[in-house]
Structures are given as structure tokens and as C-alpha cells.
């Protein structure tokens, strides 16, 4: 098992290198020169030249890329912000906890809504509740989350005045953003839960468990749900990525000073090291989440676990 | 002479007829299943109305999309301006109507690009397994490691704002998913006996892929494209919302929302209607996509 | 003899779109304490539906128990509440399902699956349940150390042993076995049948054995009910059925078995297929395939007649001899 984790961690390295390469080359090809951004338009040509040498911008592409990777690996250094000269790493680490909390709360909302509703819809297939839940979930995956956020602000902050529209000072400030970001994930999780549960509750072993005299509740929420978890967890993993991306827009709506807001501001300010660092950091987090999802598979399904263990043995 | 020629042609003609009959009856069957799915039909109707709106926008919209009447700004929905007017006194209904052109254009073109590139890349990977497959799929893995909206944001940030760049950003961002789906379907179809048979008759690789393999994995591609157009519209709106997409005064729905954001406290209609338009469009595409999936593969639904 | 189970006029329908699938049509049968009844018929005859009906496990909707009574130890199971039924399932009546490959929860250890039924009905202590589960595993011939293994680590025959252990763990008075050996290799079939027979003797359970294999019935059962299109067409003890098969369908079933002693004789298969259960013929449901069918058979549903004590046949051919006696479905 540990060998499997190690192997997966090693496999992550080329993927992350590839991500760095793609993002780095994209930013490299971007029109507009960093020296203009940093020094302003009135700087002299000598100053610009000096800065270019300082930043290593005169070097060929591959050397610049190599230096960038080297700094990340050895110093955890993602470069320096053009706008305020602070290290990108520092800025990201300062902002990320806020985004992580928002993402975690949203996922919590999504799980608490998506899984129970999916199960109920499946056990009452074709009922009014099922039709209602299915339709709502369809709207849930169709609504742009930044718009949903603004509509929630109009209803709950502007008209009802019961929840704050923006900022982050206490628990009540998290409610609307978490619902906004979580709604799409909730709808996706609900749809997967429903379709998987529909399949599982038709299986022979569920009938067997009923024949043992097990209560309906434990049959569905214990046995059936556990068997349905693999596809559900897959979707949860994918939704984690969507959710992290979604925070970029929603943090802007609610003026939450997280990583997403930082990136949007950086894009507007053409502060590319920041954008680059932010995308890389989120990709890294997403990779770790995917690894965790794979490990969860083994924990949930003994068949997958024995596959992993079989791979471990020398042939 | 004439009669003779007719006779000679009669045989292949009839064969073609039988073949096309067979194909059309299958399409009819799928269509029949789709028609019976009420929700999917709702989606289809919304979509048709939307496409007609986009085509005849000049006739439907009561005002131009950039007709500014500064004295008439911030008029709430009324008989004259059923969706109200914005900060420049422009008619929001007209802007939403013209906006359908932009959104459908972004959705269709970016997905068209993604489907074509995805099919080529996926076919190559699936058909020539081994090293080529491995390299392509690793690149796909790398692209999928970046959440799709972030990938689109990065590309758009690099390319700069504008309608064309949005389409490129979203198109590129969707290529990996399509490559994956095409590759997976090709892998399942590839081993079928009729492929072996046509290879045995000496058909070229390209011919086998285009005329035998792709038609047989078209179902997942159609479904994914339908859902993908919806996603593209969502992402495009998102990009415009953070200022990376379509620039004013072009009436893109996401850009309208972005502009309306600062008036959220007082003028709800500026936000509500463009958002509703996005949601309805994407909803229609999602419902239709679900319906198509059920219609194309009845085994899935039991 | 005391009756353990007595089913009267049980009718079960499934609603499938606009059609109604008549799966079970007014069957009556009985099982005495400690005895085994074989329920024999083709696939789709309604055997499994009958079994699920006894446990009240028909999926509803689309299934519906339209009428009938199921008396078990003197009480009507159809009048029990859900909670009362749960107490009976797995404890007093337990069931072995057809396909061992799909009948065990793939993500729970086999030991815990046995312990589950014990905890539901016998003890609250997890330790005790585990101990009893290990005992049960060893009783069916599986080493107790395999308690913590998962179903995918077991072969089909071993899985069926686990399922038998689950079924017998609470010492049920009635065991329903739905084609317990159909999905297994022939050599394993014999082992499993022997194991079931031994354990049943040890526990003193009665059994309803559902099968389409007349050979198995001859080995295991005391009484036999032949089922066709949701009806019992012939009912009697082993001697009645094997020496004096009277219903044309039963004759046909025997004619379909290859006979080693009589090599010259060709097989006499029953022609045609079972009628569509959503569109049953108006008269005798076997009439379309029956070599003796008359005009009357196609129009009028035959009554049940007792052609010798305890031997019931549902066929027009025997009605003349039994004038005035029909209608006594249960003796």
C-alpha cells in the first residue's frame, strides 16, 4: 500500500512539470513586457535593461524555465510579484487558507445536500419528490455560480437584509459564498448519487440483505450507499477541481480576499508571476486531491485494494 | 440505349436505397425515443427558440444593442422596456436578444474546434496504441490536472481579451476531455470483428478510422458536445465577468453581468435577466444532452 | 402432520407500463414441519416471485400482492406490519438466492455478513455475534480464519456456502432455497446439496426448494409442486409425481430428461414456449402447447381435482372422473 502511494507520488512529478511548462510558456508568450509593468512607462532604456538582466529575462526560454523550476524545487520560490515586489509564494500562502476554507465549506454544503437528496430520489424513483429533485439539480448544473451569488445577495442581503453581502468577518459571511460555490457540486453529486443508487438497489445482494431482516434504513444508507460510493467519490474529486476554479469568480462577487480574488486582480494588473504561481498552486492542490481520491477507492472497495496490493508484488 | 443504362444502374441504386433506409430507420428510432422524452423536448424547444432569436435578432429586438438614451437610464421593467434599461439607458431586452448571438457563437465555435481537434488527437491515441498513445494521454493528463475554468482563464489571460480569444481559450480547454472520450470509445470499438474484417480487405488506417470507427463511437461524442456547448457558454460568461472575455459594448451576457455588478443594490433587473438567459440556455442544452444520451443508448435507461 | 406454511390462493401481479404481468395466479401450497417441498417449473413460471412473496420482498411498485393468504406458524404473514416481517425474515424464514456470485455485498467481509444476521435477531454483543459467525463458517466447511476476507476472494461454491451459513445462522424453521445450485459446477452442486441436506436435518428446518431440476427434487424433496405460468398444475408426494405423473406438462418435463436406461427412446421436448404472462390464454394456460388439448381446454380454465389422496392435478382430462369433487385445492 505504501509502495502504491509512493508510486503515485512519483507519477505526479511529470504531470506537475508538464503543468508548469504549459503555464510558463503561455505566460512567456504573453504580449507586453514585464519591465513596463514594474517600472512604469517613463523608465529609461538603461533602467529597463538593468531590470531585464536582474530578472534573467535576457536568457533563452529554456534557461528561464529551468531557473523557474529550480527555484520552485529548491526554495519553494514561485517568483516575485510585479506589483508589490513580494514573493509570490508568500502571497499565495497568505491567501490560500481563506480559499481552502471556502472550498471546504462549499464541499460540505454540496455533500450534505447532494448525497441525501440523491439517495431519496433514487429510493422514491418516479415520485413527485424525484421529479422535483432531478429538475432542481438540472438547474443547479446550469446556473453560472457568480450570477447565483449575486442573486442570493439581492434576495438575502439587499431585500431581506438577513445576511451580509460581502467581506469576511464572521461565520455569517460564509453562508452565501459557500452555498454559491457548492450549488453546482451539490447538483452534480446528487445526479451521480441518484443514478448509482438506482443501479445498486437493484442488485441481488441488496435483496439478500433485506431477506436477512435488515431495516430499510440500514440497507440503503449502510450497504447500498457504501457500494455506490466509488462513482460518487469520483465525482466529488472532479468537483473539487471545479470548485477550486469556481472560487476564482465567486470570491470576486463576495469580495473575499482569497487566492481567487488575488488571481483575478493579478490578471487585471498583468502581474503574470502571480497568475502563474496561483494556477500552479491550485493544480498542485488538485493533484493531491486526486491522489487522495484514489486512496479512498482502495479504502472503500476491497477489490481495488487487492488490485493495488497485487501490483506491489514482484512478478 | 437509354433503357439499358437505366437497368445497369438500377442495382446499385437500390442497394443504396436499402442502406440509406436502414440508416434512416435507426435515426428515426432514436428520434422517436427522444420525442417521447418530455424534458428533452422542452430543452429542444427552448434551444430552437433561442437559435431563431439569434438569427432574427434584428427583427425581434425593439432597440439596437448599443442605443444609448442617457435620460432613460435605470428604468425598471415596464411595457416599453420589458427587461428595463441599464446605466446607459440601453434596452436590456434588446441586449439579451443580441447576446444570444454571441453566446451561441462562442458555444458552437469553441466546441466545434474542441470536437475536431479532440477527435483527431483521440483517434490517433486510440488507434495507434503504444508510445504515441502514451505521449498524448500524458499531455491530456497534464491539461486535466488544471481545473478547466482556470485553464481557460490562463489561456485568455495570455491571449488578451476579445471574442475570438475567448473561443480559442475555451476550445483548447475542452480538447482534453474530448480526446479522452474519443480514445475510450475507439478502444472499445477497435477490437470488434468488423474492423478486423475491413482491415483484412486492405482498407487504409485513415479509411478505417473515418468510415468505420468514428461513426460507431459518435453517440458519446454527440452527447458530450451538447453538454460541452452549455459548459462553454458558462465558462465564456465567467471569463467575461472577470474582464477577460468579450469587451463592451458587445452585449455578451457575462459582460452584462460584470457591468451590472456595481448596481446590485438598486437595480436588480440589470443582473437578473442576462443571468436568466444564461441559465435557460445551459439548462436547455443539459436537458437535451441527457435526453440524447438516453435516446442513443437505451440500455443505459431501464 | 402440523402445517408450518400454508399458502392459499396467492396472486401477485407486476405493473409494467400499461400491461399487467400476471406472475403468480392463485396458487395454494403447504409445507409440513421438517419436510421439504420442491417447487418445479421453467424460468419465468413465477417460482421466485412466490418465494419473494412469502418474505414480502416483492419490489413494490411495480409488484403487488393482489390476493391470498400466507399462514406461517398459524399467522397470516400478509397481515404483519413491516417491523414484524423484519423480525421474521432471516430469523424464522430465511432464503438462499440463486446466484452466489452476486448475492453477497462485495464491500463487507463474509464474516461480518454472517454476523449481521446474528446481531439482528439473536444478540446485541458484537463479540458474541462474531464468535457465532465463525462457528457458522466452520459448520459450512470454511476455515474460521477466512472471516475477514471479502467475497471476491471466494469461489462460487464457497460463496454459496457463506450464503447457506447466513441463511441457517439463526436456526430458521423455514428455509427457502431458490435454485441454490443452478449457477454452480456439477461437482460443486452435489457438495452443496449434501451440505444443505445435512444441515437441515441437524437444524430441523423445513425447506421450500425452488428448482427446474427434477433430479435434484428426487434426491431432496418429500413433496413436489409443479408450477406453470403462475399456477400449480400438479401437486403430490415424490411417488405421485415420479410414478404417476398425470398433468400433460409434468409428463412433458419428464419427457425432456435424457434417459440412460432407454437409449432407443428419443427425447420428447415440450413444443413451443411459455405464454406471455401479461397475455395469458383464456382457458388452460398450458393448452397451446398441450398434445391432448381440446376445444374446451382453450376456453375454460380447468379446476383442481384430487386423483388419488394427496395428489392434485389441474387438468380437464381428470375432471370427469372426479365430478363434484373439484374445488378442494387443499386437502
Amino acid at each position: 500500500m505504501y509502495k502504491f502511494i509512493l508510486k503515485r507520488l512519483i507519477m505526479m512529478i511529470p504531470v506537475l512539470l508538464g503543468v508548469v511548462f504549459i503555464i510558463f510558456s503561455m505566460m512567456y508568450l504573453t504580449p507586453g513586457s514585464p519591465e513596463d509593468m514594474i517600472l512604469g512607462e517613463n523608465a529609461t532604456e538603461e533602467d529597463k535593461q538593468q531590470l531585464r538582466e536582474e530578472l534573467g529575462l535576457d536568457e533563452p526560454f529554456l534557461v528561464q524555465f529551468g531557473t523557474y523550476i529550480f527555484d520552485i524545487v529548491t526554495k519553494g520560490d514561485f517568483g516575485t510579484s510585479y506589483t508589490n515586489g513580494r514573493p509570490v509564494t508568500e502571497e499565495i500562502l497568505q491567501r490560500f487558507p481563506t480559499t481552502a476554507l471556502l472550498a471546504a465549506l462549499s464541499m460540505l454544503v454540496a455533500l450534505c445536500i447532494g448525497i441525501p437528496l440523491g439517495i431519496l430520489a433514487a429510493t422514491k424513483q418516479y415520485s413527485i419528490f424525484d421529479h422535483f429533485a432531478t429538475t432542481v439539480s438540472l438547474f443547479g448544473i446550469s446556473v453560472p455560480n457568480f450570477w447565483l451569488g449575486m442573486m442570493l445577495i439581492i434576495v438575502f442581503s439587499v431585500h431581506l437584509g438577513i445576511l451580509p453581502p460581502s467581506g469576511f468577518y464572521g461565520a455569517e459571511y460564509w453562508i452565501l459564498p459557500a452555498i454559491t460555490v457548492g450549488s453546482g457540486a451539490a447538483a452534480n453529486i446528487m445526479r451521480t448519487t441518484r443514478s448509482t443508487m438506482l443501479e445498486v438497489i437493484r442488485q441481488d445482494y441488496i435483496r439478500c440483505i433485506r431477506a436477512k431482516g435488515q431495516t430499510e434504513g440500514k440497507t440503503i444508507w449502510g450497504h447500498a450507499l457504501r457500494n455506490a460510493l466509488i462513482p460518487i467519490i469520483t465525482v466529488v474529486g472532479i468537483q473539487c477541481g471545479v470548485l477550486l476554479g469556481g472560487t476564482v469568480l465567486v470570491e470576486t462577487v463576495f469580495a473575499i480576499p482569497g487566492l481567487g480574488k488575488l488571481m483575478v486582480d493579478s490578471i487585471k494588473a498583468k502581474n503574470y508571476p502571480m497568475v502563474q504561481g496561483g494556477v500552479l498552486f491550485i493544480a498542485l492542490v488538485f493533484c493531491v486531491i486526486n491522489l487522495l481520491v484514489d486512496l479512498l477507492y482502495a479504502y472503500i472497495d476491497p477489490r481495488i485494494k487487492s488490485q493495488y496490493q497485487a501490483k506491489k508484488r514482484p512478478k | 440505349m437509354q433503357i439499358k443504362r437505366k437497368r445497369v444502374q438500377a442495382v446499385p441504386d437500390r442497394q443504396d436505397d436499402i442502406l440509406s433506409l436502414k440508416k434512416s430507420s435507426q435515426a428515426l428510432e432514436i428520434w422517436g425515443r427522444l420525442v417521447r422524452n418530455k424534458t428533452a423536448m422542452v430543452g429542444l424547444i427552448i434551444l430552437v427558440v433561442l437559435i431563431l432569436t439569434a438569427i432574427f435578432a434584428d427583427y425581434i429586438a425593439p432597440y439596437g444593442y448599443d442605443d444609448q438614451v442617457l435620460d432613460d437610464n435605470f428604468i425598471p421593467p415596464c411595457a416599453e422596456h420589458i427587461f428595463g434599461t441599464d446605466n446607459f439607458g440601453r434596452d436590456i431586452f434588446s441586449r439579451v436578444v443580441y447576446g444570444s448571438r454571441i453566446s451561441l457563437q462562442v458555444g458552437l465555435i469553441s466546441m466545434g474546434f474542441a470536437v475536431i481537434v479532440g477527435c483527431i488527437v483521440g483517434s490517433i491515441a486510440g488507434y495507434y496504441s503504444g508510445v504515441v498513445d502514451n505521449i498524448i494521454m500524458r499531455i491530456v493528463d497534464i491539461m486535466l490536472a488544471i481545473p478547466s475554468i482556470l485553464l481557460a482563464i490562463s489561456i485568455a489571460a495570455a491571449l488578451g481579451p476579445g471574442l475570438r480569444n475567448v473561443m480559442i481559450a475555451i476550445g483548447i480547454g475542452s480538447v482534453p476531455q474530448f480526446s479522452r472520450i474519443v480514445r475510450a470509445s475507439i478502444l472499445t470499438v477497435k477490437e470488434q470483428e468488423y474492423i478486423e474484417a475491413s482491415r483484412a480487405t486492405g482498407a487504409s488506417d485513415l479509411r478505417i478510422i473515418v468510415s468505420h470507427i468514428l461513426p460507431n463511437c459518435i453517440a458519446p461524442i454527440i452527447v458530450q458536445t451538447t453538454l460541452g456547448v452549455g459548459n462553454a457558454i458558462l465558462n465564456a460568461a465567467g471569463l467575461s465577468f472577470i474582464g477577460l472575455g468579450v469587451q463592451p459594448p458587445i452585449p455578451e451576457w457575462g459582460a452584462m453581468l460584470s457591468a451590472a455588478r456595481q448596481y446590485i443594490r438598486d437595480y436588480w433587473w440589470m443582473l437578473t435577466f442576462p443571468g436568466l438567459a444564461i441559465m435557460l440556455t445551459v439548462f436547455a442544452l443539459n436537458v437535451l444532452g441527457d435526453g440524447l444520451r438516453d435516446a442513443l443508448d437505451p440500455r443505459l435507461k431501464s | 402432520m402440523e402445517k408450518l406454511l400454508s399458502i392459499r390462493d396467492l396472486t401477485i401481479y407486476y405493473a409494467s407500463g400499461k400491461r399487467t404481468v400476471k406472475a403468480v395466479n392463485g396458487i395454494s401450497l403447504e409445507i409440513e414441519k421438517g419436510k421439504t417441498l420442491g417447487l418445479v417449473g421453467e424460468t419465468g413460471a413465477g417460482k421466485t416471485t412466490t418465494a419473494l412473496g412469502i418474505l414480502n420482498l416483492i419490489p413494490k411498485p411495480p409488484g403487488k400482492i393482489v390476493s391470498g393468504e400466507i399462514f406461517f406458524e398459524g399467522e397470516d404473514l400478509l397481515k404483519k406490519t413491516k417491523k414484524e416481517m423484519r423480525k421474521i425474515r432471516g430469523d424464522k424464514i430465511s432464503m438462499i438466492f440463486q446466484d452466489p456470485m452476486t448475492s453477497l455485498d462485495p464491500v463487507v467481509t463474509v464474516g461480518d455478513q454472517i454476523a449481521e444476521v446474528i446481531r439482528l435477531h439473536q444478540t446485541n454483543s458484537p463479540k458474541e455475534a462474531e464468535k457465532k459467525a465463525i462457528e457458522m463458517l466452520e459448520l459450512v466447511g470454511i476455515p474460521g480464519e477466512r472471516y475477514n476476507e471479502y467475497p471476491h476472494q471466494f469461489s462460487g461454491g464457497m460463496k454459496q456456502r457463506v450464503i447457506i451459513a447466513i441463511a441457517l445462522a439463526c436456526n430458521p424453521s423455514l428455509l427457502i432455497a431458490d435454485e441454490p445450485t443452478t449457477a454452480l459446477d456439477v461437482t460443486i452442486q452435489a457438495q452443496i446439496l449434501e451440505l444443505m441436506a445435512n444441515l437441515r436435518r441437524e437444524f430441523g428446518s423445513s425447506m421450500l426448494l425452488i428448482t427446474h431440476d427434477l433430479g435434484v427434487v428426487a434426491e431432496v424433496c418429500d413433496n413436489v409442486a409443479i408450477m406453470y405460468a403462475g399456477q400449480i398444475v400438479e401437486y403430490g408426494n415424490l411417488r405421485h409425481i415420479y410414478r404417476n405423473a398425470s398433468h400433460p406438462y409434468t409428463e412433458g418435463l419428464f419427457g425432456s430428461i435424457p434417459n440412460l436406461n432407454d437409449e432407443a427412446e428419443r427425447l420428447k421436448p415440450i413444443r413451443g414456449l411459455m405464454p406471455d404472462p401479461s397475455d395469458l390464454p383464456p382457458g388452460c394456460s398450458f393448452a397451446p402447447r398441450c398434445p391432448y388439448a381440446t376445444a374446451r381446454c382453450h376456453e375454460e380454465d380447468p379446476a383442481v381435482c384430487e386423483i388419488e389422496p394427496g395428489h392434485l392435478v389441474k387438468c380437464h382430462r381428470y375432471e370427469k372422473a372426479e365430478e363434484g369433487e373439484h374445488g378442494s385445492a387443499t386437502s
Side-chain angles (χ1 to χ4, degrees), chain A residues 14-19 22-23 26-27 29-31 125-126 135 138-139 141-147 150-151 153-154 157-159 165 191 202 241-242 244-246 248-249 252-255 263-264 267-268 272 275 278-279 282-283 286-287 290, chain B residues 39 138-139 141-151 153-155 157-160 227 231 234 237-239 241-244 254 257-258 260-261 264-268 271-276 278-280 282-284 286-287 290 293 301-302:
Chain A
V15 171
L16 285 174
L17 272 180
V19 172
I22 290 177
I23 303 291
M26 250 158 23
M27 295 302 154
L29 296 172
T30 303
Q125 194 189 8
Y126 302 132
T135 312
L138 268 167
F139 277 107
I141 58 170
S142 310
V143 64
N145 57 12
F146 55 91
W147 178 67
M150 293 191 288
M151 294 313 281
I153 291 176
I154 290 180
S157 309
V158 178
H159 284 277
R191 280 158 59 89
R202 290 203 187 100
V242 176
L244 282 170
V248 174
L249 301 177
T252 306
V253 172
F254 288 97
M263 283 173 64
V264 172
I267 288 168
K268 284 182 181 153
Y272 293 118
V275 180
V279 174
I282 291 180
F286 192 36
C287 276
N290 280 332
Chain B
T39 20
R138 288 301 78 75
I139 295 173
D141 280 350
I142 290 166
M143 309 246 315
L144 287 174
I146 310 170
S148 72
I149 179 83
L150 268 188
L151 188 60
I153 288 177
S154 320
I155 300 173
L159 294 173
L227 301 174
N231 247 330
L234 273 185
L239 287 182
F241 180 70
I242 54 173
L244 279 176
L257 290 177
S258 180
R261 197 165 82 86
I264 187 169
R265 290 208 160 266
D266 305 305
Y267 311 114
W268 58 268
L271 274 172
T272 307
F273 296 109
L276 275 179
I278 301 174
M279 186 172 80
L280 209 61
V282 180
F283 175 80
N286 281 332
V287 172
D290 276 7
R293 174 166 33 213
K301 200 189 181 190
S302 55

Side-chain angles (χ1 to χ4, degrees), chain B residues 54 75 220 239-240:
Chain B
I75 297 176
L239 287 182
S240 300

Side-chain angles (χ1 to χ4, degrees), chain B residues 191-204:
Chain B
E191 303 304 326
Q192 306 286 330
E193 274 169 31
Y194 59 86
I195 303 297
E196 282 297 314
S198 70
R199 193 169 295 144
T201 60
S204 72

Side-chain angles (χ1 to χ4, degrees), chain A residues 44-239:
Chain A
T44 62
E45 194 52 43
E46 283 124 58
D47 285 346
K48 282 187 186 173
Q49 181 56 34
Q50 199 186 345
L51 184 74
R52 269 202 289 270
E53 274 167 26
E54 236 170 73
L55 295 175
L57 292 174
D58 282 344
E59 307 282 350
F61 170 75
L62 279 178
V63 174
Q64 284 190 39
F65 178 64
T67 318
Y68 188 66
I69 293 273
F70 184 79
D71 285 349
I72 293 176
V73 175
T74 53
K75 295 179 261 178
D77 177 8
F78 282 89
T80 313
S81 166
Y82 286 168
T83 42
N84 59 10
R86 285 182 63 197
V88 168
T89 316
E90 206 174 280
E91 293 250 342
I92 291 175
L93 290 180
Q94 188 194 337
R95 300 289 198 104
F96 182 66
T98 310
T99 299
L101 181 61
L102 175 58
L105 284 175
S106 313
M107 193 35 95
L108 194 71
V109 169
L111 292 173
C112 290
I113 296 174
I115 292 182
L117 286 192
I119 292 175
L120 284 177
T123 49
K124 300 183 194 315
Q125 194 189 8
Y126 302 132
S127 67
I128 293 169
F129 175 81
D130 180 28
H131 286 299
F132 176 74
T134 313
T135 312
V136 169
S137 73
L138 268 167
F139 277 107
I141 58 170
S142 310
V143 64
N145 57 12
F146 55 91
W147 178 67
L148 178 69
M150 293 191 288
M151 294 313 281
L152 290 176
I153 291 176
I154 290 180
V155 174
F156 290 98
S157 309
V158 178
H159 284 277
L160 299 176
I162 49 177
L163 288 168
S166 62
F168 88 126
Y169 306 103
E172 73 269 27
Y173 288 88
W174 291 103
I175 298 174
L176 291 185
I179 293 174
T180 304
V181 180
S183 63
N188 271 300
I189 292 171
M190 184 258 154
R191 280 158 59 89
T192 307
T193 305
R194 177 178 176 274
S195 61
T196 317
M197 283 299 280
L198 279 178
E199 219 166 88
V200 171
I201 55 182
R202 290 203 187 100
Q203 299 292 318
D204 284 352
Y205 55 81
I206 295 300
R207 199 173 57 181
C208 280
I209 290 158
R210 291 200 176 112
K212 282 183 190 175
Q214 186 56 278
T215 59
E216 199 55 28
K218 277 193 182 155
T219 307
I220 299 294
W221 294 82
H223 292 272
L225 180 58
R226 202 163 162 211
N227 277 283
L229 272 183
I230 292 284
I232 295 176
I233 289 202
T234 308
V235 168
V236 169
I238 294 169
Q239 288 302 314

Side-chain angles (χ1 to χ4, degrees), chain A residues 203-216 218 222-224 226-227 300-304 306, chain C residues 48 52 55 57 86 89-90 93 97 99 102-108 113 116-117 120-121 150 152 166:
Chain A
Q203 299 292 318
D204 284 352
Y205 55 81
I206 295 300
R207 199 173 57 181
C208 280
I209 290 158
R210 291 200 176 112
K212 282 183 190 175
Q214 186 56 278
T215 59
E216 199 55 28
K218 277 193 182 155
H223 292 272
R226 202 163 162 211
N227 277 283
I300 292 163
D301 194 327
R303 287 163 295 185
I304 295 176
S306 47
Chain C
T48 303
L52 291 174
L55 284 171
L57 279 179
R86 275 208 302 275
R89 275 182 219 141
I93 307 178
F97 288 94
D99 188 354
T102 58
S103 291
L104 290 171
D105 187 336
V107 300
V108 179
Q113 298 198 42
E116 181 181 18
V117 69
L120 278 168
H121 300 293
Y150 289 94
H152 72 275
I166 293 172

Side-chain angles (χ1 to χ4, degrees), chain B residues 78-92:
Chain B
C78 59
E80 226 168 302
H81 301 282
I82 55 171
F83 288 176
T85 62
D86 66 4
N87 48 327
F88 294 115
R90 294 177 295 197
D91 179 54
I92 293 178

Side-chain angles (χ1 to χ4, degrees), chain B residues 4-17:
Chain B
K4 212 175 183 182
R5 212 180 65 196
K6 262 187 186 167
R7 262 194 203 148
V8 174
Q9 276 193 343
V11 178
D13 267 3
R14 208 172 50 205
Q15 266 180 351
D16 279 358
D17 279 356

